[in-house]
Amino acid sequence: MPRDALHLGGIEHRELHNSYGYYFQMATSNGLLKRGGGNDRPFVLSRAFFPGSQRYGSVWTGDNTADWDHLRVSVPMILTLGLTGISFSGKWIFFLTYHLYCFDGWSWLINLVISSNSGF
């Protein structure tokens, strides 16, 4: 997509890029609430988010390979999402090709997060 792409009214595309994902997440959450009669708490997971998305679901940052570069980048990304109000976020770890020590690093990080969230 060209950086100078404009929408109606002169709005730049980068200002609205993930709004489709936001509205899709909102519609899914509202539909699940309506289907359950307002008694259920829907779980909606999305890769696209926009300001206000934390009201309707959680965020998945995408696929990560089990290597040190992805481990190094994903931790600050998840922590920053928490600072923006998206308290439930995560990543998918793809273990097809991995270095054994990096696998241990991912396992250690996952166990640290699980144990810190369970109060141990």
Side-chain angles (χ1 to χ4, degrees):
M1 173 84 46
R3 293 184 70 86
D4 59 349
L6 296 176
H7 289 269
L8 186 64
I11 300 171
E12 292 184 18
H13 177 72
R14 63 183 172 179
E15 293 179 31
L16 298 174
H17 176 72
N18 285 338
S19 61
Y20 176 79
Y22 167 76
Y23 286 115
F24 196 91
Q25 190 176 26
M26 179 175 56
T28 303
S29 179
N30 289 338
L32 289 170
L33 280 170
K34 190 178 284 188
R35 184 181 74 176
N39 298 322
D40 296 333
R41 186 174 178 188
F43 178 77
V44 181
L45 184 64
S46 178
R47 258 187 84 187
F49 58 95
F50 202 69
S53 292
Q54 71 274 10
R55 292 181 290 192
Y56 302 108
S58 54
V59 174
W60 164 54
T61 62
D63 295 332
N64 289 286
T65 58
D67 62 16
W68 290 110
D69 290 331
H70 280 215
L71 178 63
R72 190 176 306 112
V73 171
S74 66
V75 173
M77 186 184 309
I78 299 284
L79 293 173
T80 304
L81 283 170
L83 291 174
T84 64
I86 300 174
S87 58
F88 191 80
S89 58
K91 61 196 166 303
W92 176 257
I93 307 164
F94 188 62
F95 287 113
L96 184 61
T97 58
Y98 61 87
H99 190 274
L100 185 59
Y101 294 114
C102 188
F103 180 79
D104 289 341
W106 280 105
S107 301
W108 175 82
L109 181 65
I110 291 167
N111 288 331
L112 177 69
V113 169
I114 290 171
S115 63
S116 67
N117 287 335
S118 63
F120 296 118

